[in-house]
Amino acid sequence: MSASHYAYLGPEGTFTEAALRSMPEAATRELVPMVSVPVALDAVRSGAAAAALVPIENSVEGGVTATLDELATGEPLTIYREVLLSISFALLARPGTAIADIKTVTGHPVSQPQVRNWLAANLPDAVWESAASNGDGARLVQEGRYDAAFAGEFAASRYGLEPLVTDIHDAQNAMTRFVLAGRPARPAARTGADKTSVVIWLGDDHPGALLELLQEFSARGVNMMRIESRPTGEGIGRYCFSVDCEGHITDRRVGSALMGLKRICPKVRFLGSYPRAGVMPDDLAPLRHGTSDEAFTEAAEWLARCQDGRA
């Protein structure tokens, strides 16, 4: 591989590949499937790939822990954009297979909660075994390892399978969020409808420790869109927090919140500021009074006048 490549969670036929191909810049890159999220991101760290697209959050199952943990550890990476993809599954099988023939099924572990009710109602005796990805599940069915796989319908032709049932989902409007991660550089330009991601470590466990962290956002009118705790590996009860918030690091309220976190936390990892997928500035609610860049500037000028005896 080279820096002209984009890596993604493979093999071919995954929802990650579909999300990557929805990006206009993907048409100018060679897309390389990788066996896991860590391998895809390590290809970026080593310089073998310019960037990697990986899943980070599902509207049914929540955070993708492999991605959250990989972004929190190791050599830092930066998120440059996000992609949202509607998710529905097809039940893929080898030609000639009937529903009654299916005794084993496979798919990515995150897929199972999204099809659990359908599976219980239609294949109650089928045994589920997880695959590394939905595309890999389709490949395993092609090889005869399993009778059927839950994957995107678009994977059927790639692996010589037939969709026995399509549009399977227990939850309407299920979405998966993907992020494009690259080597650290200047964040994407501010658009007015942005998201900032960080990982935050608490210094010590004491009453109100998490509240202190949250107040750094609240006091500046920064809306937190997601917060998830992840174990640090340093022992039971030791956690870091993966956070998404509205706004861009160049917004005064966001930059001030991050500085506040840096003062009180032993470690803060900035993961990037990038455009929110499917959101325009006009879609957003007005900022809370006193949290605009202008309000921060006026307050700083007032403080300077006070210090100079001109208040």
Side-chain angles (χ1 to χ4, degrees):
M1 290 193 297
S2 72
S4 64
H5 293 70
Y6 274 1
Y8 68 92
L9 175 61
E12 295 178 2
T14 60
F15 287 109
T16 309
E17 182 188 14
L20 181 54
R21 291 190 181 279
S22 74
M23 297 167 44
E25 58 265 44
T28 65
R29 305 278 185 167
E30 184 173 347
L31 311 184
V32 182
M34 310 301 286
V35 297
S36 68
V37 167
V39 172
L41 295 177
D42 280 344
V44 180
R45 292 185 172 111
S46 70
L53 192 78
V54 291
I56 195 169
E57 181 182 7
N58 178 267
S59 61
V60 175
E61 189 66 0
V64 179
T65 57
T67 301
L68 297 177
D69 293 345
E70 190 66 22
L71 290 174
T73 59
E75 186 180 338
L77 294 170
T78 296
I79 297 172
Y80 290 102
R81 66 175 298 176
E82 65 177 9
V83 179
L84 299 179
L85 187 70
S86 296
I87 302 295
S88 67
F89 296 90
L91 184 68
L92 306 184
R94 293 181 296 279
T97 303
I99 289 284
D101 299 329
I102 297 174
K103 306 302 179 186
T104 57
V105 295
T106 188
H108 191 276
V110 173
S111 305
Q112 187 180 23
Q114 301 178 66
V115 300
R116 182 184 294 119
N117 293 337
W118 187 95
L119 192 59
N122 295 276
L123 293 170
D125 298 323
V127 176
W128 171 284
E129 291 192 29
S130 293
S133 68
N134 295 306
D136 192 53
R139 179 184 62 82
L140 294 172
V141 172
Q142 180 191 45
E143 295 177 355
R145 298 270 299 276
Y146 300 101
D147 296 326
F150 287 98
E153 186 177 356
F154 48 79
S157 59
R158 171 64 182 81
Y159 293 100
L161 304 178
E162 293 182 349
L164 301 185
V165 185
T166 60
D167 198 27
I168 301 171
H169 47 72
D170 290 348
Q172 295 288 337
N173 303 316
M175 303 283 291
T176 294
R177 174 178 163 235
F178 303 84
V179 292
L180 184 72
R183 293 175 69 82
R186 184 179 296 274
R190 181 183 182 275
T191 69
D194 302 290
K195 181 181 294 184
T196 293
S197 297
V198 293
V199 184
I200 307 161
W201 283 257
L202 292 179
D204 59 87
D205 187 14
H206 63 269
L210 180 57
L211 177 60
E212 292 170 3
L213 182 158
L214 300 177
Q215 285 176 331
E216 295 297 328
F217 293 98
S218 175
R220 296 165 177 85
V222 178
N223 182 38
M224 296 178 66
M225 307 176 69
R226 181 186 61 84
I227 179 169
E228 294 187 47
S229 63
R230 295 297 303 153
T232 63
E234 299 172 353
I236 296 295
R238 303 291 294 177
Y239 294 95
C240 62
F241 295 87
S242 175
V243 173
D244 294 332
C245 67
E246 286 184 342
H248 195 277
I249 191 171
T250 59
D251 294 333
R252 296 288 293 273
R253 67 188 186 281
V254 177
S256 179
L258 297 185
M259 286 193 294
L261 291 168
K262 185 61 178 175
R263 288 198 311 270
I264 66 173
C265 299
K267 183 178 178 181
V268 179
R269 173 171 284 196
F270 173 67
L271 294 181
S273 291
Y274 47 92
R276 291 177 60 183
V279 178
M280 301 299 291
D282 290 345
D283 299 331
L284 303 178
L287 292 177
R288 201 177 77 195
H289 176 71
T291 64
S292 66
D293 280 8
E294 292 76 11
F296 274 86
T297 299
E298 290 174 4
E301 291 173 348
W302 172 83
L303 180 61
R305 292 195 302 272
C306 290
Q307 292 169 339
D308 291 343
R310 298 181 290 111

